[in-house]
């Protein structure tokens, strides 16, 4: 649903299904040979198709043996095949092509049509792909908004008409020399025969050079309306397993054109890996497996994209399943087993305790809560703990904070009281566990005075329709449509029309000042008749959701945003639920199934699509209940895995073979330090005892929070939290920790066990106890000794990180 | 300025620039791509937008409701007049260039600041790095000091954006407070190096047990920052760089005992010690004089700025540092020529003035012009893209180079722009 379906005509028997059993080493016999693509279509005389031959072995592995196979064509008059498996079309008809290797045979039939003559060179179909392949029309070169040096092409070739004009006609056609084609700038520049800011893109007399040259020689004609252009790509094989590091597999790419023809365009495509550490791909489309994991290879042509999923298995040993608790584990285990990545051990009670406190309510437990949990014999205690956390007041604060970060809750956008009323409202939402679809609808369809109806804060007055479209799609639909503000999205099929269609939902929003200009109070009302006009072109757009038809209201008094909310919260909406469960997954697991969490696209597939689908479906079926989602995630065995790597999963970053440790957020850190030391932090003009997670706006002064990456909330993005020098200095000699340690109220208990429980939420072991006691004795002054111990406990990674 | 935003490094544009060399600086040499220059920058940030009719672009012949209450005075450069409330600055006019033709499209503070500091209009989905972050990434610092320092604090759009927090500035605090010491740069009173030793030992033991889990680049980075922090704490050079108390009293008086005055002095010290980029900000929106503009300007803002700016130029000149230090004073936009009912001026981004000095920029000139009321630019419009393009070029940083955002999108440090024509003579 994220992209156009690949050509169903090309069925590739995936090697996934065949992976089973132990893998031996020497003298394994191939038992079967297969040719791909099955029954390729070739259009036009001299058109060509590469073949891929794969051998399957008795141990279940497979290998690309194209270079070693021998080929033959039954009807050479129709089509011939060379030693490399390249088929060339000569006349209409079919010819059986056979490959032989190691005593095995496989065959396929090449079907040739329209072979009376070579297919006419199409600007969009044959020339533009070359410009795309070599990056000429990429965003950093001539595809930039203003082009380079006056030569501007559409980004990745999505506007062939303009590109043709630019190349052939603009500036008196200086880029082409029809009388002396080899002297055309279009050829001299990329071959660096004259100075070219982009360097040498391809050599003179290379096949692509020849294509361009011949096109110019033939007059550089184009009747764009009659030409074929690429409309879809099919990548073979669409999913792959690469066994062992350094194993290779070629991809074949077939394009389908607007005239129904097809062609092997492997040599014309631009290839890119989504994760170069797992698998790389070379410009010819050959993948190399590097590290165990799953990623996607993205294939790009002018205006079209394709994706191949690749699993790299770097360890030959299969892995056992761990004991699963719910449906989540089923999908995670399946992926881990396919990738041969073992899961770490289950986390112990102390680890689970601290982890779940931080992930659900944003603060560590007290020492007595820790003792109580650790000593509890109830086998159900973990689930009961989660339940208790869901109903604590800190829960509402923590999630109001999360959503405050994502809803621009700052005085810079919501004036004066705005953040305060909004925070109170958010707090109520989470305290009463309002279903998520209702929450979204309340925000989207809000009207009234921002102070009386704080949900109106979803619409900061200064933002206009296009910005609202951008943030709404980013926040609720996980789609970064911003690129499409100015041009079609380079990596997805979103167009400017999609962007403008979404913006039109917000056209009716108006603001007035109810109490006079000085009060900064704003009231949102609707002008039902108002249309959305693009600020630059002045064109009027009607409301149209992503991938959906234009929405018409039943009468003149319909709030368009209600229609948007209807579409978004419909159980069939492919984005809404998936986006939320992905965000929540990221909160608990450290990495979304789709990363970044607001960049869902066909060329950025989830690392576990069935899991994402299942989570979303379960969420919708349970009425968008956030508590239910949190229960599901935290009760899974996957969530409860230890973060300690074992042999075979140290490099895993995407399959959830272990919990992913991450630094506490600024608020988690400060609140936990306050809790552990017993010394509250004072915030200006806030009630004493206010926690950092309760601060309504990021403008409330706190060096500690700022230095640890408290967001300004002017943008919606996830916290990056890079380590900095100021942080280190602050932890070492800054007053936040130092004052709390030295404060008499921190009532150092003089008890190593209590100190460990207060900070690390666990009992110290014998070695730790004796080390601590040694250091305290050495300090001379017991009080100073305990202060030093407390300092170390608050600075150690085990405290600063959620593990 | 033509609207064709072409790269300076293209052949055709090179021919348009023309020759110079009046001050021994050839544009050619300066702009040789890849040749980074060992210079620094001090940015005096007039937060809130500084009224150009009240500072560097007075219109004494305009009607009273436009020209306001201030009169022009001559400077030490014949033909150049500035506001009467900038007397010290007037004596340093031979050192700076007044650019009267800044313009931008943003009248909103946050958006205008973002635009001016990052060279991009703000996007909701991508945070662009500020000029200070890019410069500090490209050139680093000397003597182990942080390359980018914010005095007293940061302000919106200050940071590393998609380049990452590692390029955020080091926050210096307000050097005007008595007994000023940079934040956390000295050990707490009751913690000596022996205690630091005990604590570090304990910490290492605890972290060793945790090491099995690490495998995180961030944890390793944090460790290295602890080490850098200890080095900084131990380093006499760093302590010295921030030790504004070591400056002669008379010099401190000359700059002015104000946050901006002492901030500018600290900036000079830092640049001298190897810091690459220092911002000195006047509060937050202090220049945003929607009401009582003339009193606020003449009593508070201008005297503070005057001593600081003039003091800085004179001091840099005396120390022979002006050639290697780029000094910029600006705010995110100007203020309306027409005075409002509250005797204030409102936001005006169609035209405003900034001042540039050092790094080879000749002084004693005015570039650009506005109409008779200071409303529109009439000559040499310079937009934020052009300013940043110019700054990067002066540093020898290629403004057309690309960075990769975390999503893999290639982005340049500035969205086009070209070198301010005539800036170097």
């Amino acid at each position: 649903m994220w992209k156009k379906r690949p050509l169903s005509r090309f069925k590739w028997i995936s090697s996934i299904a065949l992976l089973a059993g132990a893998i031996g080493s020497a003298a394994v016999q191939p038992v079967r040979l297969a040719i791909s693509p099955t029954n390729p279509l070739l259009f036009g005389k001299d058109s060509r198709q590469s073949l891929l031959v794969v051998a399957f072995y008795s141990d279940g592995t497979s290998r690309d043996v194209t270079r070693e196979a021998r080929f033959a064509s039954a009807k050479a008059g129709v089509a011939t095949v060379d030693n490399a498996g390249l088929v060339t079309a000569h006349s209409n008809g079919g010819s059986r092509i056979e490959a032989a290797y190691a005593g095995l045979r496989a065959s396929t039939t090449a079907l040739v049509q329209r072979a009376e003559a070579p297919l006419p060179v199409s600007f969009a179909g044959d020339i533009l792909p070359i410009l795309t392949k070599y990056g000429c029309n990429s965003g950093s070169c001539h595809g930039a908004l203003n082009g380079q040096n006056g030569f501007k092409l559409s980004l990745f070739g999505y506007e062939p008409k303009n590109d043709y004009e630019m190349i052939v006609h603009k500036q008196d056609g200086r880029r082409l020399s029809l009388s002396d084609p080899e002297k055309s700038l279009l050829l001299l520049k990329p071959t660096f025969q004259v100075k070219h800011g982009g360097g040498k893109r391809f050599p003179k007399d290379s096949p692509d050079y020849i294509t361009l040259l011949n096109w110019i020689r033939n007059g550089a004609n184009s009747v764009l309306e009659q030409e074929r252009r690429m409309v879809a790509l099919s990548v073979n094989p669409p999913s792959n397993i690469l066994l062992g590091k350094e194993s290779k597999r070629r991809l074949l790419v077939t394009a389908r054109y607007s005239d129904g023809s097809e062609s092997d365009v492997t040599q014309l495509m631009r290839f890119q890996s989504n994760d170069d550490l797992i698998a790389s791909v070379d410009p010819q489309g050959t993948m190399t497996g590097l590290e165990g994991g799953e990623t996607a290879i993205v294939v790009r042509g002018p205006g079209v994209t394709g994706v191949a999923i690749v699993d790299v298995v770097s360890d030959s040993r299969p892995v056992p399943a761990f004991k699963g608790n719910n449906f989540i584990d089923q999908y995670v285990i399946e992926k881990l087993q396919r990738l041969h990545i073992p899961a770490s051990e289950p986390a112990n009670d102390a680890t689970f305790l601290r982890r779940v406190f931080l992930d659900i309510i944003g603060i560590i437990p007290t020492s007595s809560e820790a003792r109580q949990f650790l000593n509890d014999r109830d086998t159900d205690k973990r689930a009961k703990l989660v339940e208790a956390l869901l109903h604590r007041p800190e829960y509402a604060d923590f999630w109001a904070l999360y959503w405050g970060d994502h809803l621009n809750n700052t005085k810079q956008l919501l004036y004066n009281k705005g953040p305060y009323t909004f925070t109170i409202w958010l707090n109520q939402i989470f305290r009463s566990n309002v279903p998520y679809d209702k929450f979204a609808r309340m925000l989207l369809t809000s009207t009234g005075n921002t102070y009386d109806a704080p949900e109106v804060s979803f619409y900061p007055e200064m933002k206009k329709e296009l910005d609202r479209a951008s943030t709404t799609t980013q926040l609720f639909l996980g789609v970064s449509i911003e690129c499409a503000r100015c041009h079609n999205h380079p990596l997805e099929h979103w167009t400017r029309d999609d962007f403008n269609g979404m913006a039109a939902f917000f056209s009716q929003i108006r603001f007035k000042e109810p109490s006079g200009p000085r009060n900064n109070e704003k009231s949102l009302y609707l002008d039902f008749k108002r249309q959305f006009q693009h600020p630059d072109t002045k064109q009027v757009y009607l409301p149209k959701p992503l991938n959906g038809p234009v929405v018409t209201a039943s009468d003149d008094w319909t709030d368009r945003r209600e229609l948007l909310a209807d579409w978004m919260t419909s159980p069939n909406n492919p984005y809404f639920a998936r986006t939320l469960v992905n965000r929540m997954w990221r909160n608990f697991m450290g990495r979304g199934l789709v990363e970044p969490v607001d960049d869902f696209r066909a060329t950025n597939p989830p690392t576990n699509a069935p899991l994402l689908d299942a989570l979303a479906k379960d969420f919708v079926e349970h009425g968008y209940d956030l508590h239910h989602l949190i229960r599901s995630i935290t009760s899974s065995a996957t969530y409860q895995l230890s973060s300690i790597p074992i042999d075979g999963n140290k490099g895993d970053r995407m399959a959830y073979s272990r919990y992913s440790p991450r630094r506490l957020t600024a608020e988690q850190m400060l609140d936990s330090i306050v809790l552990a030391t017993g010394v509250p932090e004072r915030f200006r003009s806030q009630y004493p005892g206010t926690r950092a997670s309760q601060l309504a706006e990021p403008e409330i002064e706190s060096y500690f929070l700022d230095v640890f990456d408290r967001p300004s909330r002017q943008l919606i993005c996830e916290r990056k939290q890079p380590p900095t020098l100021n942080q280190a200095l602050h932890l070492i000699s800054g007053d936040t920790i130092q004052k709390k340690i030295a404060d008499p109220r921190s009532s150092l208990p003089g008890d190593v066990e209590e100190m460990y429980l207060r900070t690390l939420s666990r009992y110290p072991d014998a070695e730790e106890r004796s080390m601590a006691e040694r250091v305290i004795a050495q300090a001379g002054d017991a009080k100073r000794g305990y202060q030093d111990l407390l300092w170390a406990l608050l600075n150690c990674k085990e405290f600063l990180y959620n593990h | 300025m033509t609207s064709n935003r072409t790269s300076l490094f293209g052949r055709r544009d090179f021919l348009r620039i023309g020759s110079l060399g009046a001050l021994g600086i050839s544009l050619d040499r300066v702009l040789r791509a890849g040749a980074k220059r060992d210079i620094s920058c001090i940015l005096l940030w007039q937060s809130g937008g500084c009224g150009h009719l009240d500072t560097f672009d007075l219109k004494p012949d305009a009607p009273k409701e436009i020209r306001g209450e201030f009169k022009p005075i001559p400077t030490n450069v014949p033909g150049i007049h500035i506001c009467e409330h900038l007397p010290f600055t007037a004596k340093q006019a031979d050192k700076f260039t007044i650019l009267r033709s800044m313009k931008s499209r943003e009248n909103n503070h946050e958006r205008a600041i973002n635009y001016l500091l990052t060279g991009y209009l703000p996007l909701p989905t991508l945070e662009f790095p500020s000029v200070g972050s890019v410069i500090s990434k490209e050139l680093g610092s000397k003597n182990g000091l942080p390359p980018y320092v914010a005095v007293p604090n940061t302000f919106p759009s200050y940071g590393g954006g998609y380049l990452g927090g590692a390029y955020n500035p080091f926050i210096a605090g307000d050097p005007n407070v008595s007994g000023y010491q940079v934040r956390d740069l000295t050990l707490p009173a009751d913690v000596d190096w022996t205690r630091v030793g005990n604590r570090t030992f304990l910490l290492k033991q605890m972290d060793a047990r945790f090491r099995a889990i690490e495998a995180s680049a961030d944890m390793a980075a944090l460790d290295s920052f602890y080490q850098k922090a200890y080095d900084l704490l131990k380093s006499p050079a760093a302590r010295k760089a921030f030790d504004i108390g070591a400056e002669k009293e008379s010099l401190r008086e000359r700059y002015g005992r104000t946050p901006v005055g002492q901030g500018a002095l600290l900036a000079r010290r830092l640049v001298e010690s190897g810091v690459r980029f220092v911002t000195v900000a006047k509060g937050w929106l202090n220049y945003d004089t929607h009401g009582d503009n003339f009193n606020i300007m003449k009593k508070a803002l201008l005297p503070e700025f005057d001593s600081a700016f003039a003091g800085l130029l004179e001091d840099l000149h005396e120390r022979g540092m002006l050639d290697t230090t780029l000094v910029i004073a600006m705010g995110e936009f100007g203020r309306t020529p027409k005075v409002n009912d509250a005797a204030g001026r409102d936001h005006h981004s169609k035209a405003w003035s900034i001042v540039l000095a050092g790094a080879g920029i000749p002084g004693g000139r005015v570039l650009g012009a506005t109409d008779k009321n200071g409303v529109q630019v009439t000559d040499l419009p310079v937009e934020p893209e052009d300013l940043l393009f110019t700054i990067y070029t002066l540093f020898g940083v290629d403004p057309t180079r690309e960075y990769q955002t975390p999503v893999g999108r290639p982005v340049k440090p500035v969205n086009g722009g070209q070198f301010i024509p005539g800036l170097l003579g």
Side-chain angles (χ1 to χ4, degrees), chain A residues 139-141 144 146 148-150 174 189 195 412 415 462-463 467 470-471 474 480 482-483 485 518 596 599 601 643-645 650 658 661 663 703 709 714-717 720-736 738 741-742 756 762 765 767-768 771-772 774-775 778-779 783-785 787-789 791-793 795-798 800-801 803, chain B residues 4-7 9-13 108 110-111 123-127 144 146 153 156 158 161-162 164-166 168-172 183-188 190-192 195-196 198-203 205-207 209-223 225-230 232-233 284 342 400 402 406-410 412 415-416:
Chain A
S140 48
C141 297
N146 298 310
Q148 298 292 339
N149 277 335
R174 60 188 289 269
K189 288 253 174 182
K195 257 172 81 169
Q412 304 301 325
Y415 299 106
M462 66 184 64
K463 294 194 186 236
D467 283 336
S470 183
T471 50
Q474 182 190 359
S480 287
E482 186 57 40
C483 303
R485 189 187 284 254
R518 291 293 169 83
D599 196 12
R601 48 185 161 85
S643 57
I644 300 175
K650 195 154 202 277
R658 58 191 175 101
R663 204 204 74 194
Y703 180 74
D709 232 38
Q714 302 206 44
L715 288 186
I716 306 170
C717 48
K720 279 160 249 132
Q721 306 196 153
T724 69
L725 184 53
N726 281 94
Q727 286 169 5
L729 278 173
H730 196 62
L731 290 170
I732 292 170
S733 41
D735 51 17
T736 308
Q738 191 52 35
I741 290 175
Y756 266 79
R762 65 172 173 85
D765 65 24
E767 201 189 316
E768 287 169 329
M771 172 188 71
R774 226 179 15 248
V775 167
Q778 242 168 346
K783 184 151 166 246
R784 286 160 65 103
Q787 286 181 352
D788 291 346
L789 176 62
W791 182 90
L793 285 168
N795 271 270
C796 70
K797 305 286 182 309
E798 195 179 336
L800 297 176
Y801 280 76
H803 50 91
Chain B
N4 189 11
R5 297 198 169 288
T6 55
S7 159
F9 295 94
R11 263 179 319 143
R12 287 196 293 285
D13 303 87
N108 166 276
E110 285 74 21
R111 291 177 65 89
L123 279 186
T125 47
L126 183 64
E127 208 177 333
N153 211 327
Y158 67 88
Y162 60 70
N168 289 350
F170 182 78
I171 296 172
R183 188 123 199 186
D184 308 335
L185 208 51
T186 27
L187 293 176
D190 58 342
V191 178
D192 58 14
R195 253 187 124 178
V196 168
N198 290 344
R199 290 180 170 194
T200 315
F201 170 76
L202 254 178
L203 184 56
Q205 298 296 313
M206 290 179 185
D207 278 349
R209 294 177 56 113
F210 198 69
R211 196 126 294 139
I213 298 180
E214 66 163 89
S216 154
D218 273 3
M219 287 191 202
L222 188 57
D223 277 339
F225 275 123
Y226 267 84
Q227 196 47 56
K228 284 205 179 81
Y230 284 125
L232 211 54
L233 285 164
W284 171 242
T400 63
E402 256 166 49
V407 227
R409 180 178 157 195
K412 297 184 189 159
N415 189 20

Side-chain angles (χ1 to χ4, degrees), chain B residues 52 56-58 80-82 98-102 351-354 366-370 377 379:
Chain B
H52 49 302
F56 294 101
D57 193 8
L58 277 79
I80 299 184
H81 293 72
I82 64 177
I98 302 172
L99 180 70
R100 287 186 174 153
S101 50
M102 274 306 296
W352 83 97
S353 301
I354 71 173
V366 170
L367 288 181
T370 55
V377 167
D379 179 42

Side-chain angles (χ1 to χ4, degrees), chain A residues 227-302:
Chain A
E227 274 188 1
R228 63 177 195 167
R229 60 182 288 193
M230 290 188 197
V231 295
L233 292 181
S234 159
V235 185
N236 277 296
S239 50
N240 296 269
I241 294 191
L242 296 181
L243 294 168
K245 293 193 197 182
E246 303 305 315
S247 66
K248 294 183 190 295
R249 177 73 50 89
R250 263 193 317 149
L251 290 171
L252 291 186
V253 186
T254 307
R256 182 152 50 85
Y257 294 84
S258 45
D259 66 348
S261 61
E262 291 173 9
S263 156
D264 172 5
V265 293
T266 312
Q267 292 317 304
L268 285 176
M269 294 291 103
R270 212 174 145 79
F271 295 92
Q272 192 180 325
S273 166
N274 273 355
D275 191 331
D276 284 284
L277 295 176
I278 293 178
S280 65
V281 64
D282 69 13
Q284 287 72 45
T286 301
M287 302 177 291
T288 304
L290 298 170
E291 196 186 275
E294 178 176 293
T295 186
I297 304 292
V298 173
V299 182
R300 186 182 296 152

Side-chain angles (χ1 to χ4, degrees), chain A residues 290-328:
Chain A
L290 298 170
E291 196 186 275
E294 178 176 293
T295 186
I297 304 292
V298 173
V299 182
R300 186 182 296 152
V304 284
T305 56
V307 181
I309 307 289
V310 55
D311 292 328
V312 180
V313 181
S314 59
D315 192 320
S316 56
R317 298 166 294 175
V319 299
F322 55 86
K323 180 176 171 312
N325 294 340
N326 60 23
F327 71 96
I328 291 173

Side-chain angles (χ1 to χ4, degrees), chain B residues 151-152 172-181 242 244-245 249 252-253 255-266 280 282 304:
Chain B
V151 181
D174 178 5
N176 192 41
V177 307
S178 91
Y180 165 75
Q181 278 180 321
F242 287 98
I244 201 170
E249 264 310 306
R252 294 191 76 173
E253 295 293 334
Y255 273 83
R257 299 292 263 183
T258 61
V260 174
Q262 298 305 294
L265 174 54
L266 180 64
V280 182
K282 172 59 184 170
E304 181 175 20

Side-chain angles (χ1 to χ4, degrees), chain B residues 46-50 282 285-289 297 301 305 335:
Chain B
Q46 295 164 318
S47 176
C50 180
K282 172 59 184 170
L285 302 190
N286 287 46
Y287 277 81
D288 194 25
T289 50
M297 284 289 263
L301 297 173
F305 175 79
R335 303 206 76 82

Side-chain angles (χ1 to χ4, degrees), chain A residues 484-513:
Chain A
R485 189 187 284 254
C486 302
H487 49 62
N488 286 3
H489 198 297
L491 293 171
E492 245 309 347
H493 58 279
W494 305 124
T495 64
R496 279 171 297 186
D497 285 348
D498 289 314
F499 199 109
N500 291 318
M502 286 295 286
F505 281 104
F506 303 103
S507 67
Q508 302 160 318
I509 294 172
R510 309 301 286 148
F511 280 92
K512 59 186 177 206
E513 279 153 359

